[in-house]
Every structure is written in structure tokens, then in C-alpha cells.
Amino acid sequence: MKILSLKREALNALKGNWGASVLLTLIVFAISGLVPLFFEVPLSGGVEAWLLQDTTPIGATLVSTLISLLLIPLSIASIWFFIDLLRGNGPKIADVFNPYKDLGLGLKIIGISIMQSIFLFLWFLLLFVPGVIKSIAYSQTFYLLKDHPEYSTFEAITESRKRMVGLKWKYFLLCLSFIGWGLLAMITFGIGLLWLMPYMSTTFSAFYDNHIADKKNELE
């Protein structure tokens, strides 16, 4: 399916759902940005000390990093929200907290994210281009995990890499197609991201549904 068609499918799915999508994006932004600060500021000695510090105390850094790891399932579940939206499943904002109700799933999401980061770090150590190629190859990992929660950490990553064969250039072009919108969002001091992120997330979900979700049958 062409990029324009993917975007059109995404916009059709968002019709009548922009309010919930923007609200969800705002909630995720707020939690991801404010919760780590809630712990980091007092551990840094208060607001004044935090504002004036040249380096963050090691204790504050460790706690902030831990909180950021614990928030990963929230970010991934927000992506899953838009898959369900695209599929007409009528997702609710509260659904993004479901991974915290399933400890195994939540830990798996964090584990996959850590392993992906390690792999990509090693690839980027070689050269920039191989790192970009691998990041695209791994891009479908969490989409696949939603449809196949039985996948192990390495199965999800490997399956993404396999299914992205022959599709990496299309995905790269899809990413590039949002650069203009990204620049416009920056002009609005980031406020436009509240609408851009749902648009992008739903479009990437359309890419997955149309090109990746059923590709295993083709590979077999």
C-alpha cells in the first residue's frame, strides 16, 4: 500500500477520535515528563538546587533512570491504543495502563526495550547507517508483541527483523514524510505534537496492519 493510502487510512480512523487521541498523548507526555522530575528534584536538594546544578547527583540519576524504565510499558501501550483504534476496536484511554496489571507482560516490554537499545548501541558503534537500518528492522517488534504476547524477547525482535525484509526503504520513506509536519509542530512550541503524534502512531499502525501483520504466512 502506498504511503498516501496509509495516511488516508489513519486519518479515517482518527475521525471522531481526535479528542481521545490528543488527550491520551497529553497524558503520556505529562506522566513521562513530570513523574521522573517528581523524584529527581527532591533528590537533587530542592527546586533551587536542581535548577542551579551542573551535574545531577548519582542517586537522583539512578532513581530517574529507574522511573523511566518503569514508564516504558505506558509508552508502548499508547502505541497499541492506536492499533486498536485503526482496527475499530474502540480502545479506551485506561487501556494504556493494562501492562501494569500483567506483571509478566510489563517486564517483557521493559526487557525487549533494553535488549533493543543494547543491539542498536552496538550497531551504531560500527557506523551510523547500519544503526539506522537495524532500528528500522526492529521497528515492528512491539506491534508484533501485541498480536503475539507469547513471543519471547528475542522471538519478537527476530520476527520483526525477518518481516521487515524488503520493506525497510518504504518504512524509511514513511518516516521522512512526517518531517514537514514535525517542523510545523515545532513552530507551535510543541503543541502541535499533540495532534501529530496520534497521526503518526495511527499511520505506523496502518503500515504494520497492511505490510507486517500477516507476512508470516508469506514467509512460511
Side-chain angles (χ1 to χ4, degrees):
M1 180 177 286
K2 294 182 178 179
I3 290 176
L4 185 60
S5 297
L6 294 175
K7 289 187 171 183
R8 187 179 296 115
E9 183 178 350
L11 290 173
N12 287 335
L14 285 165
K15 285 181 179 178
N17 294 296
W18 278 108
S21 299
V22 171
L23 179 59
L24 171 63
T25 304
L26 179 61
I27 291 173
V28 173
F29 279 176
I31 293 177
S32 299
L34 296 178
V35 172
L37 284 180
F38 180 80
F39 291 92
E40 182 178 322
V41 171
L43 289 173
S44 298
V47 175
E48 184 177 355
W50 177 74
L51 291 173
L52 297 175
Q53 67 187 3
D54 293 323
T55 57
T56 305
I58 184 65
T61 299
L62 290 175
V63 172
S64 181
T65 300
L66 176 61
I67 296 299
S68 296
L69 287 174
L70 293 176
L71 289 176
I72 290 175
L74 175 66
S75 298
I76 300 306
S78 67
I79 294 174
W80 292 351
F81 173 93
F82 292 105
I83 298 179
D84 284 331
L85 185 68
L86 182 80
R87 294 172 174 174
N89 293 336
K92 299 178 181 178
I93 292 178
D95 293 343
V96 300
F97 298 101
N98 286 343
Y100 296 101
K101 300 176 183 178
D102 185 340
L103 181 61
L105 178 60
L107 291 176
K108 184 183 292 187
I109 290 173
I110 294 173
I112 290 176
S113 181
I114 292 174
M115 290 309 304
Q116 275 189 328
S117 298
I118 293 174
F119 290 158
L120 291 176
F121 173 75
L122 294 175
W123 278 106
F124 274 109
L125 280 181
L126 295 177
L127 281 173
F128 179 75
V129 173
V132 172
I133 292 173
K134 284 301 178 180
S135 65
I136 293 175
Y138 300 154
S139 65
Q140 306 303 299
T141 300
F142 289 110
Y143 294 98
L144 287 164
L145 183 64
K146 174 176 173 53
D147 285 342
H148 303 278
E150 74 279 3
Y151 279 176
S152 68
T153 296
F154 292 105
E155 283 177 331
I157 294 174
T158 300
E159 194 63 34
S160 175
R161 177 178 56 78
K162 288 180 178 179
R163 298 197 192 193
M164 281 298 285
V165 171
L167 291 168
K168 287 189 281 291
W169 180 246
K170 178 183 285 290
Y171 187 85
F172 179 67
L173 292 178
L174 179 59
C175 293
L176 290 181
S177 71
F178 286 103
I179 289 180
W181 288 110
L183 293 175
L184 286 175
M186 291 299 101
I187 293 175
T188 65
F189 302 100
I191 296 176
L193 290 173
L194 294 176
W195 284 265
L196 178 58
M197 295 308 296
Y199 181 27
M200 292 180 62
S201 296
T202 311
T203 302
F204 288 132
S205 295
F207 176 91
Y208 169 75
D209 251 11
N210 285 278
H211 296 292
I212 302 298
D214 297 323
K215 195 175 182 182
K216 187 172 184 179
N217 296 329
E218 300 174 16
L219 295 175
E220 293 174 344

